[in-house]
Amino acid sequence: MGTTVFYLVAFLSIFFSLMVIFAKNPVHSVLYLIVTFFTFTVHYILLNAQFLAVVNFIVYMGAIMVLFLFVLMLLNLNTDNEPLKSVLVKVVGIIGGCCLVVTLIGSLKATAASDPLILVNPNLGLVKNLGKELFGPFMLPFELSSILLLTAMVGAVLLTKKEKV
């Protein structure tokens, strides 16, 4: 059952990532990217990495991708404003695509020869263990990073605030 779900989600990941690339409308591309991140969340759950699944779901799907979607909708991109791609950009894209195909073929050959991974510790990747580490020996760096993020957020708000003349 787990293998079938993995292959189904892997196929969906590849399909929606290709839809991100080949979508003509940038808004549709961002929506496909959100679905791709959701399939990555399912992969993290299958790997027993609940914390990564939650962070991927909240941070990437909930914040960053929605921000990209709003920015694209506010920019109102038209095909009239889009410049034509040069031949050099097209050649570099083809070379990059060929490198991707070679990498995929090499990884498929490597997976055919390897054994499946068996976890020695089934509690690996649980949020409870991460919480014990974060709020134990790493309490001070954790709190300092939260103060740094709060300061950056206040600075961003102050930079975007328009002054009254």
Side-chain angles (χ1 to χ4, degrees):
M1 176 69 181
T3 309
T4 307
V5 172
F6 170 77
Y7 283 120
L8 175 68
V9 174
F11 170 75
L12 291 174
S13 297
I14 294 170
F15 175 73
F16 284 117
S17 62
L18 289 173
M19 291 300 293
V20 168
I21 296 169
F22 294 122
K24 297 290 183 191
N25 190 344
V27 175
H28 292 159
S29 182
V30 170
L31 291 174
Y32 289 133
L33 191 58
I34 291 172
V35 176
T36 305
F37 279 142
F38 180 74
T39 59
F40 292 165
T41 301
V42 175
H43 280 295
Y44 289 140
I45 291 171
L46 289 174
L47 290 171
N48 198 25
Q50 290 92 0
F51 178 74
L52 287 176
V54 169
V55 166
N56 186 43
F57 188 79
I58 292 172
V59 174
Y60 285 109
M61 287 177 54
I64 295 174
M65 286 297 106
V66 173
L67 178 68
F68 283 173
L69 184 62
F70 284 137
V71 167
L72 284 176
M73 290 171 71
L74 287 174
L75 285 177
N76 194 13
L77 296 175
N78 296 326
T79 55
D80 303 337
N81 298 338
E82 185 176 333
L84 295 175
K85 306 262 188 297
S86 68
V87 177
L88 178 65
V89 172
K90 291 179 182 179
V91 169
V92 169
I94 291 172
I95 292 171
C98 292
C99 290
L100 176 67
V101 169
V102 168
T103 305
L104 287 174
I105 291 171
S107 64
L108 287 175
K109 285 184 180 179
T111 57
S114 66
D115 293 330
L117 178 69
I118 299 172
L119 289 176
V120 177
N121 185 3
N123 292 329
L124 187 68
L126 294 179
V127 179
K128 180 175 83 173
N129 298 333
L130 180 68
K132 286 181 182 177
E133 288 296 319
L134 277 181
F135 295 113
F138 294 104
M139 180 71 162
L140 181 64
F142 181 72
E143 291 299 324
L144 288 176
S145 64
S146 66
I147 291 171
L148 178 69
L149 288 172
L150 178 67
T151 307
M153 186 172 35
V154 169
V157 168
L158 288 177
L159 285 173
T160 58
K161 183 180 174 184
K162 293 183 179 182
E163 295 186 30
K164 295 180 182 178
V165 179

